[in-house]
Amino acid sequence: MGVPGPFPGSPGRPDAPVLDREEVDRALARLGAEYEAIETSLLALQDHAGRRLLEGADLAGTTKERWAAAERSITVLWSLFDAYTAALEEARELRARRRWPSPEDLAELTELLHGDGVTVPGAAGGGAESGPPRLSERFSLEGLVERMNGLYARSLDVIVAADAVWLALPARIDLLSAELQRTRSLAHSVGVRPGEHPAGDDLERITDELVRLRAQVIADPLAFWVSSSTGSSAPGGGRADTARYDRAARALEDIRREVAAVLDVRQDAERRLMQLRDVLSRADRTLTEARQARGEVLAKIAASEVPAVSGPSTALHEQLAAAADYRRRSQWHRLSPLLDSLEERAEDELHRARESLTAVTAPLAVRAELRGRLDAYKAKVGRHGMAEDPLLTERYDVARRMLWSAPCDLRAAEQAVWRYQQAAAEALVPQQLEGRGES
């Protein structure tokens, strides 16, 4: 709720000359307007929601100390206001005696309006902060307004700051706590519990932090108030310190994302497990094929180095079985990282199996390539009518026996095919030259 700012006031005029009638009337009008503003401000301060909360709260720390001082200041404010009211009434009564005041009346009015004629008790003067308390103090009306301005601003600053913190933080903490409870319930349903998953421990820590934070904010709101960095003297100039709340909110958001990821794992676990079984099955079949191919290569190809083929990965199959067990037990928080690891390693295993098959079947691929090359050259020679050439026939037969016999010496067979290619090329040259001459 709004509360007026510091009371209006004007600097005093020490040793001022005696006022005339018109000056007295203007001064009384101005002081009357100030009186109305002061009264309105004090009543608004009395009814401020922040003040009522402070009066009913079980305060601690900085807030307890500052509110005790503010309560004393508010008590002094009313005492000073009473003194101000009495002095103003006295001046008004004196002015109302005569329509045309005498010189003595004007002198007395000047003293009442501008002199230090208002006496208040020392405690009511509120001057203890500037030195030892005095039995009484004397003020002018302007001096009273200035003193009330200072006391009012300090008191209002405490009330507005505490109220701003209470408006900013407890409701937000309550909303975050409700969100935390929903997240905790969801986390427990997917196995994210304290002692079983780091996020479960984090949820407990955030819960404890929010309970402590709320209690501290309620008991000592001014401990969470950051004064304005601009140096503004306006009451309530600053902001609520939300750093601890913001850290808890960010931590809870991280946990929510992690729980959402675990939920995704639960919803997609069976499909991913089936894909993993399929990938590992293909890898196992490929390794079996590679081992069979190696035996065939060793039987059919001589003088060739054939790499050994390892068996299926026992560790991967054991981890796959563990993943299936986690799914049966609904331990989704453990299944999630295991599936991520298994998917990557299963693809690596399939790639390794395919490389092994390629490596052990390489000699057979070389033999097939040599057979194809030999038949291609024979067909070419036949198209040129040289299929019955004795040298070509002899070299073809030698190469063919090597390539179609077991075990096949690939190095010797490759030389034999090369010699047949050379003989065919030499035999075809005269025919090509003859064909060019005829054309």
Side-chain angles (χ1 to χ4, degrees):
M1 71 186 289
V3 175
F7 307 137
S10 60
R13 295 185 297 170
D15 302 323
V18 175
L19 304 175
D20 60 25
R21 182 175 64 86
E22 292 181 353
E23 289 174 329
V24 165
D25 289 343
R26 285 197 298 271
L28 284 172
R30 176 177 56 80
L31 291 170
E34 288 178 347
Y35 172 86
E36 297 294 335
I38 293 169
E39 185 178 42
T40 300
S41 296
L42 284 175
L43 291 175
L45 184 67
Q46 195 74 14
D47 292 336
H48 196 288
R51 174 186 172 137
R52 292 197 296 270
L53 289 173
L54 284 165
E55 287 178 335
D58 185 11
L59 301 175
T62 301
T63 306
K64 183 176 182 179
E65 295 175 4
R66 291 188 61 188
W67 174 236
E71 283 190 305
R72 291 192 295 271
S73 295
I74 292 172
T75 301
V76 171
L77 264 173
W78 282 104
S79 297
L80 295 180
F81 180 67
D82 290 342
Y84 182 87
T85 302
L88 182 60
E89 286 299 318
E90 182 182 355
R92 284 172 170 172
E93 289 175 2
L94 178 59
R95 174 64 184 89
R97 289 176 187 172
R98 300 181 182 86
R99 181 178 180 184
W100 301 98
S102 66
E104 293 77 10
D105 291 341
L106 291 175
E108 188 175 351
L109 283 168
T110 300
E111 176 61 24
L112 284 173
L113 296 176
H114 291 299
D116 296 337
V118 183
T119 303
V120 297
E129 68 275 5
S130 59
R134 288 172 283 182
L135 295 177
S136 64
E137 291 185 73
R138 296 178 62 82
F139 292 93
S140 65
L141 290 177
E142 287 83 356
L144 273 178
V145 171
E146 182 179 354
R147 177 60 57 86
M148 284 190 287
N149 270 334
L151 294 172
Y152 176 83
R154 289 194 294 272
S155 303
L156 184 61
D157 185 59
V158 172
I159 293 171
V160 171
D163 192 45
V165 173
W166 280 333
L167 286 174
L169 277 173
R172 295 170 70 182
I173 293 171
D174 290 342
L175 288 174
L176 190 62
S177 296
E179 180 61 29
L180 185 144
Q181 293 305 319
R182 289 191 292 271
T183 303
R184 183 208 293 270
S185 177
L186 187 60
H188 282 200
S189 72
V190 295
V192 178
R193 300 183 179 91
E196 298 181 12
H197 191 282
D201 298 331
D202 291 340
L203 279 172
E204 291 300 305
R205 283 194 292 271
I206 296 173
T207 301
D208 294 341
E209 166 65 1
L210 290 181
V211 170
R212 288 194 304 271
L213 179 60
R214 193 182 194 284
Q216 291 169 6
V217 167
I218 295 300
D220 191 8
L222 294 184
F224 297 87
W225 182 253
V226 180
S227 298
S228 173
S229 59
T230 61
S232 172
S233 60
R239 60 177 179 81
D241 181 4
T242 62
R244 284 174 61 183
Y245 167 86
D246 293 338
R247 282 196 298 272
R250 287 193 298 269
L252 180 58
E253 182 59 29
D254 291 341
I255 294 173
R256 287 179 58 190
R257 284 196 292 268
E258 186 164 352
V259 171
V262 174
L263 273 173
D264 290 341
V265 171
R266 182 175 71 174
Q267 294 168 358
D268 214 20
E270 183 58 30
R271 180 189 61 81
R272 293 175 70 183
L273 281 170
M274 289 179 63
Q275 288 181 343
L276 275 171
R277 293 189 187 100
D278 178 63
V279 171
L280 288 179
S281 177
R282 282 187 285 155
D284 292 347
R285 290 196 303 270
T286 303
L287 287 174
T288 299
E289 185 180 351
R291 286 193 296 274
Q292 294 172 349
R294 186 173 187 273
E296 181 183 353
V297 169
L298 292 175
K300 295 180 178 180
I301 307 296
S304 178
E305 294 181 0
V306 183
V309 179
S310 64
S313 173
T314 304
L316 283 178
H317 284 278
E318 290 176 350
Q319 290 180 352
L320 181 61
D325 185 60
Y326 287 155
R327 181 183 176 278
R328 283 192 299 271
R329 296 172 181 267
S330 298
Q331 294 180 330
W332 311 110
H333 61 291
R334 297 188 178 185
L335 180 59
S336 177
L338 182 57
L339 283 179
D340 292 340
S341 172
L342 275 174
E343 285 169 343
E344 182 178 353
R345 294 175 61 193
E347 289 295 334
D348 291 342
E349 178 71 4
L350 179 58
H351 181 68
R352 182 180 69 85
R354 287 169 174 169
E355 285 185 335
S356 294
L357 179 60
T358 300
V360 299
T361 57
L364 295 177
V366 172
R367 188 184 69 173
E369 190 274 332
L370 290 174
R371 285 177 174 180
R373 195 193 314 171
L374 181 65
D375 288 344
Y377 268 90
K378 181 183 180 183
K380 184 177 181 180
V381 168
R383 287 196 302 270
H384 288 81
M386 301 179 66
E388 302 302 326
D389 183 281
L391 178 61
L392 292 177
T393 300
E394 177 188 356
R395 291 192 176 182
Y396 174 80
D397 290 340
V398 170
R400 192 178 189 285
R401 280 195 302 273
M402 289 183 176
L403 288 172
W404 267 267
S405 61
C408 171
D409 187 337
L410 281 180
R411 293 187 181 88
E414 185 176 13
Q415 290 297 319
V417 171
W418 182 80
R419 286 194 296 272
Y420 176 69
Q421 289 179 235
Q422 288 296 104
E426 292 172 1
L428 292 173
V429 168
Q431 284 199 357
Q432 293 172 350
L433 293 175
E434 182 179 346
R436 291 198 190 102
E438 290 176 355
S439 61

Coordinates of all heavy atoms in Angstrom, one line a residue, residues 280-339:
L280 N 23.7 -57.0 -31.4 CA 24.7 -58.0 -30.9 C 24.5 -59.4 -31.6 O 25.5 -60.1 -31.8 CB 24.5 -58.2 -29.4 CG 25.0 -57.0 -28.5 CD1 24.8 -57.3 -27.0 CD2 26.5 -56.8 -28.8
S281 N 23.2 -59.7 -31.9 CA 23.0 -61.0 -32.7 C 23.7 -60.9 -34.0 O 24.3 -61.9 -34.5 CB 21.5 -61.2 -32.8 OG 21.3 -62.4 -33.5
R282 N 23.5 -59.8 -34.7 CA 24.2 -59.7 -36.0 C 25.7 -59.7 -35.9 O 26.4 -60.3 -36.7 CB 23.8 -58.3 -36.7 CG 22.4 -58.4 -37.3 CD 22.1 -57.1 -38.1 NE 21.8 -56.0 -37.2 CZ 22.0 -54.8 -37.5 NH1 22.5 -54.4 -38.7 NH2 21.7 -53.8 -36.7
A283 N 26.2 -59.1 -34.8 CA 27.7 -59.2 -34.6 C 28.1 -60.6 -34.4 O 29.1 -61.0 -34.9 CB 28.0 -58.3 -33.4
D284 N 27.3 -61.3 -33.6 CA 27.7 -62.7 -33.3 C 27.6 -63.6 -34.6 O 28.5 -64.4 -34.8 CB 26.8 -63.3 -32.2 CG 27.0 -62.7 -30.9 OD1 28.0 -62.0 -30.7 OD2 26.1 -62.9 -30.0
R285 N 26.6 -63.4 -35.4 CA 26.5 -64.1 -36.6 C 27.6 -63.8 -37.6 O 28.2 -64.7 -38.3 CB 25.1 -63.9 -37.3 CG 23.9 -64.4 -36.6 CD 22.7 -64.5 -37.4 NE 22.4 -63.2 -38.0 CZ 21.5 -62.3 -37.3 NH1 21.0 -62.7 -36.2 NH2 21.2 -61.2 -37.9
T286 N 28.0 -62.6 -37.6 CA 29.1 -62.1 -38.5 C 30.4 -62.8 -38.0 O 31.2 -63.2 -38.8 CB 29.2 -60.6 -38.5 OG1 28.0 -60.0 -38.9 CG2 30.3 -60.2 -39.5
L287 N 30.6 -62.8 -36.7 CA 31.9 -63.4 -36.2 C 31.9 -64.9 -36.5 O 32.9 -65.5 -36.8 CB 32.0 -63.2 -34.7 CG 32.3 -61.7 -34.3 CD1 32.3 -61.6 -32.7 CD2 33.7 -61.4 -34.8
T288 N 30.7 -65.6 -36.4 CA 30.6 -67.0 -36.7 C 30.9 -67.2 -38.2 O 31.6 -68.1 -38.5 CB 29.2 -67.5 -36.4 OG1 28.9 -67.3 -35.0 CG2 29.0 -69.0 -36.7
E289 N 30.4 -66.4 -39.0 CA 30.6 -66.5 -40.4 C 32.1 -66.2 -40.7 O 32.7 -66.9 -41.6 CB 29.8 -65.4 -41.2 CG 29.9 -65.5 -42.7 CD 29.1 -64.5 -43.4 OE1 28.3 -63.8 -42.7 OE2 29.3 -64.3 -44.6
A290 N 32.7 -65.3 -40.0 CA 34.1 -65.0 -40.2 C 35.0 -66.2 -39.8 O 36.0 -66.6 -40.4 CB 34.6 -63.8 -39.3
R291 N 34.6 -66.9 -38.6 CA 35.4 -68.1 -38.2 C 35.2 -69.2 -39.3 O 36.2 -69.9 -39.6 CB 34.9 -68.6 -36.9 CG 35.3 -67.7 -35.7 CD 35.1 -68.3 -34.4 NE 33.7 -68.5 -34.1 CZ 32.9 -67.6 -33.6 NH1 33.3 -66.4 -33.3 NH2 31.6 -67.9 -33.4
Q292 N 34.0 -69.4 -39.8 CA 33.8 -70.4 -40.8 C 34.6 -70.1 -42.1 O 35.3 -71.0 -42.7 CB 32.3 -70.6 -41.1 CG 31.5 -71.1 -40.0 CD 30.0 -71.1 -40.3 OE1 29.6 -70.4 -41.2 NE2 29.2 -71.7 -39.4
A293 N 34.6 -68.8 -42.4 CA 35.3 -68.4 -43.6 C 36.8 -68.6 -43.4 O 37.5 -68.9 -44.4 CB 35.0 -66.9 -43.9
R294 N 37.3 -68.4 -42.2 CA 38.7 -68.6 -42.0 C 39.1 -70.0 -42.2 O 40.2 -70.3 -42.8 CB 39.1 -68.1 -40.5 CG 40.6 -68.1 -40.2 CD 40.8 -67.5 -38.9 NE 42.3 -67.4 -38.6 CZ 43.1 -68.3 -38.2 NH1 42.5 -69.5 -37.8 NH2 44.3 -68.1 -38.0
G295 N 38.3 -70.9 -41.7 CA 38.6 -72.3 -41.9 C 38.6 -72.7 -43.4 O 39.5 -73.4 -43.9
E296 N 37.7 -72.1 -44.2 CA 37.6 -72.3 -45.6 C 38.9 -71.8 -46.3 O 39.5 -72.4 -47.2 CB 36.4 -71.7 -46.2 CG 36.2 -71.9 -47.7 CD 35.0 -71.2 -48.2 OE1 34.2 -70.7 -47.4 OE2 34.8 -71.1 -49.5
V297 N 39.3 -70.6 -45.9 CA 40.5 -69.9 -46.5 C 41.7 -70.7 -46.2 O 42.5 -71.0 -47.1 CB 40.6 -68.5 -45.9 CG1 42.0 -67.9 -46.3 CG2 39.5 -67.6 -46.5
L298 N 41.8 -71.2 -44.9 CA 43.0 -72.0 -44.6 C 43.1 -73.3 -45.4 O 44.1 -73.8 -45.7 CB 43.0 -72.3 -43.1 CG 43.2 -71.1 -42.2 CD1 43.1 -71.5 -40.7 CD2 44.6 -70.5 -42.4
A299 N 41.9 -73.8 -45.7 CA 41.8 -75.1 -46.5 C 42.0 -74.9 -48.0 O 42.6 -75.7 -48.7 CB 40.5 -75.8 -46.3
K300 N 41.6 -73.7 -48.5 CA 41.7 -73.5 -50.0 C 42.8 -72.6 -50.4 O 43.2 -72.6 -51.6 CB 40.4 -72.9 -50.4 CG 39.2 -73.8 -50.2 CD 37.9 -73.1 -50.7 CE 36.7 -74.0 -50.6 NZ 35.4 -73.4 -51.1
I301 N 43.4 -71.8 -49.6 CA 44.4 -70.9 -50.0 C 45.7 -71.2 -49.2 O 45.7 -71.3 -48.0 CB 44.0 -69.4 -49.6 CG1 42.6 -69.1 -50.2 CG2 45.1 -68.4 -50.1 CD1 42.6 -69.1 -51.7
A302 N 46.8 -71.4 -50.0 CA 48.1 -71.6 -49.4 C 49.0 -70.4 -49.4 O 48.7 -69.4 -50.2 CB 48.8 -72.7 -50.2
A303 N 50.0 -70.4 -48.5 CA 50.9 -69.3 -48.5 C 50.3 -68.0 -48.3 O 50.6 -67.0 -48.9 CB 51.8 -69.3 -49.7
S304 N 49.3 -67.9 -47.3 CA 48.5 -66.6 -47.1 C 48.3 -66.5 -45.6 O 48.0 -67.5 -44.9 CB 47.2 -66.6 -47.8 OG 46.5 -65.4 -47.5
E305 N 48.5 -65.3 -45.1 CA 48.3 -65.0 -43.6 C 46.9 -64.7 -43.4 O 46.4 -63.7 -43.9 CB 49.3 -63.9 -43.2 CG 50.7 -64.2 -43.3 CD 51.6 -63.1 -42.8 OE1 51.0 -62.0 -42.4 OE2 52.8 -63.2 -42.8
V306 N 46.2 -65.5 -42.6 CA 44.8 -65.2 -42.3 C 44.7 -64.8 -40.8 O 45.1 -65.6 -40.0 CB 44.0 -66.5 -42.6 CG1 42.5 -66.2 -42.3 CG2 44.2 -67.0 -44.0
P307 N 44.1 -63.7 -40.5 CA 44.0 -63.2 -39.1 C 43.1 -64.1 -38.3 O 42.1 -64.7 -38.8 CB 43.5 -61.8 -39.2 CG 42.8 -61.7 -40.5 CD 43.6 -62.6 -41.4
A308 N 43.4 -64.2 -37.0 CA 42.5 -65.0 -36.1 C 41.2 -64.2 -35.9 O 41.1 -63.0 -36.0 CB 43.2 -65.2 -34.8
V309 N 40.1 -64.9 -35.5 CA 38.8 -64.3 -35.3 C 38.4 -64.5 -33.8 O 38.4 -65.7 -33.4 CB 37.7 -64.9 -36.2 CG1 36.4 -64.2 -35.9 CG2 38.1 -64.6 -37.7
S310 N 38.1 -63.5 -33.1 CA 37.8 -63.6 -31.7 C 36.3 -64.0 -31.6 O 35.5 -63.9 -32.5 CB 38.0 -62.3 -31.0 OG 37.1 -61.3 -31.5
G311 N 36.0 -64.5 -30.4 CA 34.6 -64.9 -30.1 C 33.7 -63.7 -29.7 O 34.2 -62.6 -29.6
P312 N 32.4 -63.9 -29.5 CA 31.5 -62.9 -29.1 C 32.0 -62.2 -27.8 O 32.6 -62.9 -26.9 CB 30.2 -63.6 -28.9 CG 30.3 -64.8 -29.7 CD 31.7 -65.2 -29.6
S313 N 31.6 -61.0 -27.6 CA 32.0 -60.3 -26.4 C 31.1 -60.7 -25.2 O 29.9 -60.5 -25.1 CB 31.8 -58.8 -26.6 OG 32.0 -58.1 -25.4
T314 N 31.8 -61.5 -24.3 CA 31.0 -61.9 -23.1 C 30.6 -60.8 -22.2 O 29.4 -60.8 -21.7 CB 31.9 -62.9 -22.3 OG1 32.4 -63.9 -23.1 CG2 31.2 -63.4 -21.1
A315 N 31.4 -59.7 -22.1 CA 31.0 -58.6 -21.3 C 29.8 -57.9 -21.7 O 28.9 -57.5 -21.0 CB 32.2 -57.6 -21.2
L316 N 29.7 -57.7 -23.1 CA 28.5 -57.1 -23.6 C 27.2 -57.9 -23.4 O 26.2 -57.3 -23.0 CB 28.7 -56.8 -25.1 CG 29.6 -55.6 -25.5 CD1 29.7 -55.6 -27.0 CD2 29.1 -54.3 -25.0
H317 N 27.3 -59.2 -23.5 CA 26.1 -60.0 -23.3 C 25.8 -60.0 -21.8 O 24.6 -60.0 -21.4 CB 26.4 -61.4 -23.7 CG 26.3 -61.6 -25.2 ND1 25.1 -61.7 -25.9 CD2 27.3 -61.6 -26.2 CE1 25.3 -61.8 -27.2 NE2 26.7 -61.7 -27.4
E318 N 26.7 -59.9 -20.9 CA 26.4 -59.8 -19.5 C 25.8 -58.5 -19.1 O 24.8 -58.5 -18.3 CB 27.7 -60.0 -18.7 CG 28.3 -61.4 -18.7 CD 29.6 -61.5 -18.0 OE1 30.2 -60.4 -17.6 OE2 30.1 -62.6 -17.8
Q319 N 26.3 -57.4 -19.7 CA 25.7 -56.1 -19.5 C 24.3 -56.0 -20.1 O 23.4 -55.4 -19.5 CB 26.6 -55.0 -20.0 CG 27.9 -54.9 -19.3 CD 28.8 -53.8 -19.8 OE1 28.5 -53.2 -20.9 NE2 29.8 -53.5 -19.1
L320 N 24.1 -56.7 -21.2 CA 22.7 -56.7 -21.8 C 21.7 -57.4 -20.9 O 20.6 -57.0 -20.7 CB 22.7 -57.4 -23.2 CG 21.4 -57.5 -23.9 CD1 20.9 -56.1 -24.2 CD2 21.6 -58.2 -25.2
A321 N 22.2 -58.5 -20.3 CA 21.4 -59.2 -19.3 C 21.1 -58.4 -18.1 O 20.0 -58.4 -17.5 CB 22.1 -60.5 -18.9
A322 N 22.1 -57.6 -17.7 CA 21.9 -56.7 -16.5 C 20.9 -55.6 -16.9 O 20.1 -55.2 -16.0 CB 23.2 -56.1 -16.1
A323 N 21.0 -55.1 -18.1 CA 20.0 -54.1 -18.5 C 18.6 -54.6 -18.5 O 17.6 -53.9 -18.0 CB 20.4 -53.6 -19.9
A324 N 18.4 -55.9 -19.0 CA 17.1 -56.5 -18.9 C 16.6 -56.7 -17.5 O 15.4 -56.5 -17.2 CB 17.1 -57.8 -19.7
D325 N 17.5 -57.0 -16.6 CA 17.1 -57.1 -15.2 C 16.7 -55.8 -14.6 O 15.8 -55.7 -13.8 CB 18.3 -57.7 -14.4 CG 18.0 -58.0 -13.0 OD1 17.0 -58.8 -12.7 OD2 18.6 -57.4 -12.1
Y326 N 17.5 -54.7 -14.9 CA 17.1 -53.4 -14.5 C 15.7 -53.0 -14.9 O 14.9 -52.4 -14.2 CB 18.1 -52.3 -15.0 CG 19.4 -52.4 -14.3 CD1 20.6 -51.9 -15.0 CD2 19.6 -52.9 -13.0 CE1 21.8 -51.9 -14.4 CE2 20.8 -52.9 -12.4 CZ 22.0 -52.4 -13.1 OH 23.2 -52.5 -12.5
R327 N 15.4 -53.4 -16.1 CA 14.0 -53.1 -16.7 C 13.0 -53.8 -15.9 O 11.9 -53.3 -15.5 CB 13.9 -53.4 -18.1 CG 12.6 -53.1 -18.7 CD 12.5 -53.5 -20.2 NE 11.2 -53.2 -20.7 CZ 10.1 -54.0 -20.5 NH1 10.2 -55.1 -19.8 NH2 8.9 -53.7 -21.0
R328 N 13.2 -55.1 -15.6 CA 12.3 -55.9 -14.9 C 12.0 -55.3 -13.4 O 10.9 -55.3 -12.9 CB 12.7 -57.4 -14.8 CG 12.5 -58.2 -16.0 CD 12.7 -59.6 -15.8 NE 14.1 -59.9 -15.3 CZ 15.1 -60.2 -16.1 NH1 14.9 -60.2 -17.4 NH2 16.3 -60.4 -15.6
R329 N 13.1 -54.8 -12.9 CA 13.0 -54.3 -11.5 C 12.6 -52.8 -11.5 O 12.6 -52.2 -10.4 CB 14.4 -54.4 -10.8 CG 14.8 -55.9 -10.6 CD 16.3 -55.9 -10.1 NE 16.7 -57.3 -9.9 CZ 16.6 -58.0 -8.8 NH1 16.1 -57.4 -7.7 NH2 17.1 -59.2 -8.6
S330 N 12.4 -52.2 -12.7 CA 12.0 -50.8 -12.8 C 13.1 -49.8 -12.2 O 12.8 -48.8 -11.7 CB 10.7 -50.5 -12.1 OG 9.7 -51.3 -12.6
Q331 N 14.4 -50.3 -12.4 CA 15.5 -49.4 -11.9 C 15.9 -48.6 -13.1 O 17.0 -48.7 -13.7 CB 16.6 -50.3 -11.4 CG 16.2 -51.0 -10.1 CD 17.4 -51.9 -9.6 OE1 18.2 -52.4 -10.3 NE2 17.4 -52.0 -8.3
W332 N 15.0 -47.6 -13.5 CA 15.2 -46.8 -14.7 C 16.5 -45.9 -14.6 O 17.1 -45.7 -15.6 CB 14.0 -46.0 -15.0 CG 12.8 -46.8 -14.9 CD1 11.8 -46.7 -14.0 CD2 12.3 -47.8 -15.8 NE1 10.8 -47.7 -14.2 CE2 11.1 -48.4 -15.4 CE3 12.9 -48.4 -17.0 CZ2 10.4 -49.4 -16.0 CZ3 12.2 -49.4 -17.7 CH2 11.0 -49.9 -17.2
H333 N 16.8 -45.4 -13.4 CA 17.9 -44.5 -13.3 C 19.2 -45.3 -13.6 O 20.2 -44.7 -14.0 CB 17.9 -43.9 -11.9 CG 18.0 -44.9 -10.8 ND1 17.0 -45.8 -10.5 CD2 19.0 -45.2 -9.9 CE1 17.4 -46.6 -9.5 NE2 18.6 -46.2 -9.1
R334 N 19.2 -46.6 -13.3 CA 20.4 -47.4 -13.6 C 20.4 -47.8 -15.1 O 21.5 -48.0 -15.7 CB 20.6 -48.6 -12.7 CG 20.7 -48.2 -11.2 CD 21.0 -49.4 -10.3 NE 21.2 -49.0 -9.0 CZ 21.6 -49.8 -8.0 NH1 21.8 -51.1 -8.2 NH2 21.7 -49.3 -6.8
L335 N 19.2 -48.1 -15.6 CA 19.1 -48.6 -17.0 C 19.6 -47.5 -17.9 O 20.2 -47.8 -19.0 CB 17.7 -49.0 -17.2 CG 17.4 -49.5 -18.6 CD1 18.2 -50.7 -19.0 CD2 15.9 -49.8 -18.8
S336 N 19.2 -46.2 -17.7 CA 19.5 -45.1 -18.6 C 21.0 -45.0 -19.0 O 21.3 -45.1 -20.2 CB 19.0 -43.8 -18.0 OG 19.3 -42.7 -18.9
P337 N 21.9 -44.9 -18.1 CA 23.3 -44.8 -18.5 C 23.8 -46.1 -19.1 O 24.7 -46.0 -20.0 CB 24.1 -44.4 -17.2 CG 23.2 -44.9 -16.1 CD 21.8 -44.7 -16.6
L338 N 23.3 -47.2 -18.6 CA 23.8 -48.5 -19.2 C 23.4 -48.7 -20.6 O 24.2 -49.1 -21.5 CB 23.3 -49.7 -18.3 CG 23.7 -51.1 -18.8 CD1 25.2 -51.2 -18.8 CD2 23.1 -52.1 -17.8
L339 N 22.2 -48.3 -21.0 CA 21.7 -48.4 -22.4 C 22.5 -47.5 -23.3 O 22.9 -47.8 -24.4 CB 20.2 -48.0 -22.4 CG 19.2 -49.1 -22.0 CD1 17.8 -48.5 -22.1 CD2 19.4 -50.3 -22.8

